[in-house]
Amino acid sequence: YNLNYRYLLFIWILSLGFGYFELSRGLEGVDLLIDYLHYFDSNYGTTYQKGLRVDFIAFSLVPIILTYLYGKKNQLDFRYLQLLKAYILLNLIANIFSFIPYSDRIYSYSWILIPVIVSFIFSGLHKIVQVLYLMILISLFIFYNLQWIYK
């Protein structure tokens, strides 16, 4: 089935609301999940932050923003759009279940597609712009991973 890209983005934004207000927390009472309720509780000796996290949203927005910037000037390939739609679907599922501790494990299913999505965009850019974008992305990655020093 061919879903419209903009329709999926609208559903993705709604999923952010689900994650922020923890509307999907009602799934905890489902009989199938009764044996797994202890996984939804983060009171087992860790200080892991749960809920919808700003850093996860920012990281998840990278392919969407790059698509917006690239798509304004270029025609988007059918294969690229299909891959982007799969990314958005996987990411919106993670947004809905962001109330679960260690929800980054669910996000990782969509995040693993980011290098492929970015490589599609980079292949159509000039070499200088490719190097500039690559330097920006690498510096953001290094800065994000060195945040533990500042805490």
Side-chain angles (χ1 to χ4, degrees):
Y1 185 70
N2 192 11
L3 293 171
N4 186 354
Y5 166 68
R6 292 183 180 167
Y7 179 69
L8 278 177
L9 278 179
F10 176 74
I11 295 173
W12 184 79
I13 292 170
L14 286 178
S15 73
L16 291 174
F18 264 78
Y20 181 75
F21 295 110
E22 296 185 358
L23 297 176
S24 53
R25 195 173 260 293
L27 292 173
E28 290 180 1
V30 176
D31 289 339
L32 295 172
L33 300 176
I34 294 295
D35 295 334
Y36 302 99
L37 285 180
H38 63 281
Y39 291 117
F40 296 143
D41 185 23
S42 64
N43 297 329
Y44 41 84
T46 62
T47 58
Y48 191 81
Q49 179 186 2
K50 65 180 190 174
L52 195 64
R53 295 179 46 175
V54 176
D55 53 343
F56 288 1
I57 295 170
F59 191 67
S60 298
L61 272 173
V62 169
I64 295 170
I65 291 172
L66 288 176
T67 299
Y68 176 75
L69 295 174
Y70 179 73
K72 287 174 77 173
K73 298 178 183 174
N74 303 304
Q75 181 67 26
L76 297 175
D77 184 49
F78 175 76
R79 295 175 300 160
Y80 175 77
L81 282 176
Q82 292 299 99
L83 188 64
L84 186 66
K85 290 175 188 178
Y87 170 78
I88 293 171
L89 281 171
L90 290 169
N91 199 267
L92 73 87
I93 291 169
N95 288 340
I96 290 171
F97 288 101
S98 63
F99 68 93
I100 299 172
Y102 303 104
S103 62
D104 54 339
R105 296 175 184 178
I106 301 172
Y107 279 101
S108 67
Y109 292 119
S110 64
W111 291 343
I112 202 161
L113 295 175
I114 291 176
V116 180
I117 291 171
V118 170
S119 69
F120 262 99
I121 293 174
F122 279 15
S123 66
L125 299 175
H126 297 294
K127 291 290 181 195
I128 296 172
V129 178
Q130 286 178 353
V131 171
L132 180 66
Y133 274 139
L134 191 60
M135 287 174 30
I136 290 171
L137 290 175
I138 288 173
S139 61
L140 287 174
F141 178 77
I142 290 171
F143 175 74
Y144 177 76
N145 285 315
L146 292 178
Q147 283 183 350
W148 62 271
I149 293 174
Y150 304 110
K151 289 184 179 181

